[in-house]
Amino acid sequence: LKKAPDIAFLQYQKARTLYHEKAVAEGNTAFAKASELGMKSPELTLIHGVVSYAQGDCAVVIDDFGSLDRSWLSKFELIPSLSECKAQQGEFDKAMSYAEDNLKGFPHPSDIWLEIAHIQESYRFDSKNAIMAYESALKSATQMEMKDWIARKIQFLKSKQTVSVLENQHVSG
């Protein structure tokens, strides 16, 4: 590798070895180098999409994840990331569809329910449906900290709805 650092396949193999040895950061660098050198593989596309998501580049995430088999996204629990990017691009129906279509069989459905709730609350401004999604997330959550946060979020949204109703009654009354 020292004699031929510009061979994409060698960089790719180096990355796989580094991942196997739990040297993830160095592995990511080698995967990036293999990609820059023109190597194409689903694994590189997946990693590129994850890095792009971390950098906030949803257009690239949608392109990368859209070219992969859906089972890869489900296996690596990336459906919420794709849904979020679709929502950020203004494609709310597609964002919801990606999330809802992948609820069954997803290892941690609470993560998808949280994304659905976030889309309802933040992009559609629909507290009622957000509350329903948060309640579904609460039912499927396994971590106590998550359950506590979700319960507080539901309580907050319900209290906000009550205030809105009271304000509307005061204005119209």
Side-chain angles (χ1 to χ4, degrees):
L1 192 58
K2 289 180 183 179
K3 290 182 181 181
D6 292 339
I7 297 176
F9 182 73
L10 292 178
Q11 288 293 331
Y12 176 78
Q13 289 302 325
K14 175 184 176 182
R16 290 184 57 105
T17 301
L18 288 167
Y19 259 65
H20 181 71
E21 297 296 320
K22 307 287 189 232
V24 176
E26 293 91 347
N28 285 343
T29 301
F31 274 131
K33 179 77 172 171
S35 182
E36 287 169 15
L37 292 170
M39 182 160 186
K40 303 279 185 219
S41 79
E43 191 173 27
L44 289 175
T45 302
L46 179 79
I47 291 169
H48 187 257
V50 169
V51 170
S52 297
Y53 183 77
Q55 295 171 342
D57 191 347
C58 279
V60 172
V61 171
I62 291 168
D63 288 343
D64 284 350
F65 288 178
S67 70
L68 295 171
D69 185 270
R70 225 18 105 79
S71 65
W72 276 59
L73 300 179
S74 186
K75 176 182 177 182
F76 295 106
E77 302 183 23
L78 294 169
I79 297 297
S81 302
L82 178 59
S83 292
E84 176 63 24
C85 282
K86 286 289 188 181
Q88 285 186 22
Q89 298 288 319
E91 297 182 51
F92 309 125
D93 291 336
K94 282 186 180 180
M96 294 295 292
S97 176
Y98 280 124
E100 290 169 346
D101 290 349
N102 287 279
L103 274 168
K104 290 184 180 173
F106 196 75
H108 301 101
S110 58
D111 293 343
I112 293 183
W113 281 116
L114 287 172
E115 182 60 30
I116 290 170
H118 171 68
I119 292 168
Q120 294 289 11
E121 179 185 5
S122 299
Y123 296 106
R124 289 188 163 169
F125 307 105
D126 184 346
S127 293
K128 180 182 174 192
N129 282 322
I131 289 169
M132 290 180 357
Y134 280 122
E135 287 171 342
S136 294
L138 183 60
K139 289 176 189 170
S140 62
T142 57
Q143 298 172 339
M144 285 308 298
E145 296 85 10
M146 181 185 280
K147 286 183 175 202
D148 182 52
W149 182 87
I150 296 169
R152 285 184 284 126
K153 183 68 171 183
I154 292 168
Q155 185 179 22
F156 170 76
L157 288 175
K158 285 182 176 179
S159 69
K160 216 167 100 173
Q161 279 184 328
T162 303
V163 169
S164 268
V165 168
L166 293 174
E167 286 175 348
N168 288 338
Q169 287 175 350
H170 178 71
V171 169
S172 63

